[in-house]
């Protein structure tokens, strides 16, 4: 890809004031551990004394893509408020959580990062999640790029790394754990009534309103996710989902209550 950058930093060491713009065009990125090859990466950002504006971040993988734009307000580079929009088209986001699923969505988010805990609200619309019948995460990078050759794999399918790199990776992991322990974030997720989850053996139309409060490694969830309608195949029969409700009670760790009602219509000739 090509990179263009024009940034001016003024102010003091303790209170720098960066201004300018940053452009990345038509870049590519391969992540061997995930077996992913991203292309057509475009990134455009501008900044002034109080705002960092992400004008465009788009990433493609084959005929799928994801795009993000937004604005971060700050006080001497200390984040204050955040808002943005995220759109995806059949993008494989499941790899990052351990099993593949493909998401099409239109999301908007905003938040106040100056509070303790930080406050975020995410509005989810037109969500369409496609689950696969095989949820294996054992991907093969050589199928995506002929220049990548995996010589050894660990038992979990990840690439085997030599000792020196492993040591560095461990240090990075410790730094990440330290950052995670100081994280305090409350996120409210509002799902509209046009959210769907599809699987080869069924589909369900969802809506919901729930909050996830994260403090360090502790997660507390409250609210509900409800199935409006749907159907599922079980023991060779098609069941109609009459009602399904997942209630997050605020327990730590989360221990949601499940209430599922499904019906199967017998043949009238019986």
């Amino acid at each position: 890809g090509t990179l263009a950058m024009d940034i001016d930093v003024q102010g003091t060491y303790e209170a720098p004031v960066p201004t300018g713009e940053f452009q990345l065009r038509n870049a590519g990125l391969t992540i061997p551990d995930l077996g992913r090859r991203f292309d057509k990466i475009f990134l455009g950002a501008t900044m002034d004394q109080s705002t960092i504006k992400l004008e465009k971040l788009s990433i493609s993988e084959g005929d799928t893509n994801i795009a993000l734009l937004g604005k971060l307000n700050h006080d001497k580079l200390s984040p204050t408020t955040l808002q943005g929009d995220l759109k995806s088209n059949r993008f494989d986001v499941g790899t990052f959580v351990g099993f593949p699923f493909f998401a099409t969505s239109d999301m908007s988010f905003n938040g106040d990062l100056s509070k303790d805990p930080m406050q975020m609200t995410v509005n989810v619309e037109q969500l369409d999640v496609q689950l696969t019948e095989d949820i294996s995460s054992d991907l093969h990078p050589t199928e995506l790029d002929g220049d990548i050759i995996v010589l050894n794999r660990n038992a979990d399918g990840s690439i085997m790394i030599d000792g020196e790199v492993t040591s560095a990776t461990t240090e990075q992991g410790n730094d990440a754990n330290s950052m995670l322990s100081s994280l305090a974030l409350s996120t409210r997720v509002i799902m509209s009534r046009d959210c769907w989850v599809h699987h080869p053996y069924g589909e369900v139309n969802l809506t919901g309103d729930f909050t996830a409060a994260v403090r360090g490694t502790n997660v507390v969830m409250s609210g509900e996710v409800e199935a409006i309608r749907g159907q599922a195949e079980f023991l060779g029969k098609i069941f109609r989902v009459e009602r399904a409700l997942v209630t997050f009670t605020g327990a730590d760790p989360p221990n949601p209550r499940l209430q599922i009602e499904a019906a199967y219509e017998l043949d009238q000739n019986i």
Side-chain angles (χ1 to χ4, degrees), residues 33-199:
D33 280 359
L34 298 179
R36 307 287 295 273
R37 170 66 183 176
F38 304 112
D39 55 16
K40 298 178 183 177
I41 301 174
F42 292 87
L43 170 62
T46 61
M47 60 187 73
D48 57 28
Q49 291 85 349
S50 61
T51 304
I52 299 175
K53 185 176 182 181
L54 182 62
E55 297 180 338
K56 181 179 183 180
L57 172 59
S58 61
I59 302 174
S60 297
E61 185 180 24
D63 60 352
T64 72
N65 59 78
I66 189 169
L68 172 68
L69 57 88
K71 180 173 68 173
L72 173 67
N73 296 316
H74 63 87
D75 180 13
K76 299 177 182 178
L77 294 184
S78 179
T80 55
T81 60
L82 173 71
Q83 64 183 57
D85 295 284
L86 175 67
K87 295 185 178 181
S88 63
N89 177 31
R90 294 180 294 120
F91 195 78
D92 181 4
V93 295
T95 302
F96 301 102
V97 296
F99 65 93
F101 68 86
F102 303 85
T104 298
S105 65
D106 187 351
M107 302 183 186
S108 63
F109 56 90
N110 61 82
D112 187 343
L113 307 183
S114 64
K115 295 183 177 180
D116 184 19
M118 297 180 289
Q119 304 289 322
M120 287 284 295
T121 300
V122 180
N123 292 283
V124 182
E125 298 181 352
Q126 301 176 15
L127 176 65
D128 191 309
V129 174
Q130 298 283 343
L131 300 174
T132 61
E133 184 173 357
D134 181 5
I135 63 172
S136 171
S137 61
D138 183 16
L139 302 176
H140 301 282
T142 51
E143 296 179 2
L144 302 177
D145 194 318
D147 294 332
I148 302 175
I149 300 177
V150 179
L151 299 179
N152 295 291
R153 281 185 175 272
N154 294 316
D156 62 358
S158 61
I159 295 176
M160 191 172 293
I161 303 176
D162 291 336
E164 293 183 359
V165 180
T166 301
S167 177
T169 304
T170 301
E171 293 178 0
Q172 294 173 358
N174 292 336
D175 292 340
N177 291 334
S178 178
M179 292 179 59
L180 181 61
S181 64
S182 62
L183 177 64
L185 173 64
S186 178
T187 303
R188 181 185 179 189
V189 179
I190 304 171
M191 302 171 59
S192 66
R193 296 176 66 87
D194 56 0
C195 298
W196 284 86
V197 176
H198 298 273
H199 186 273

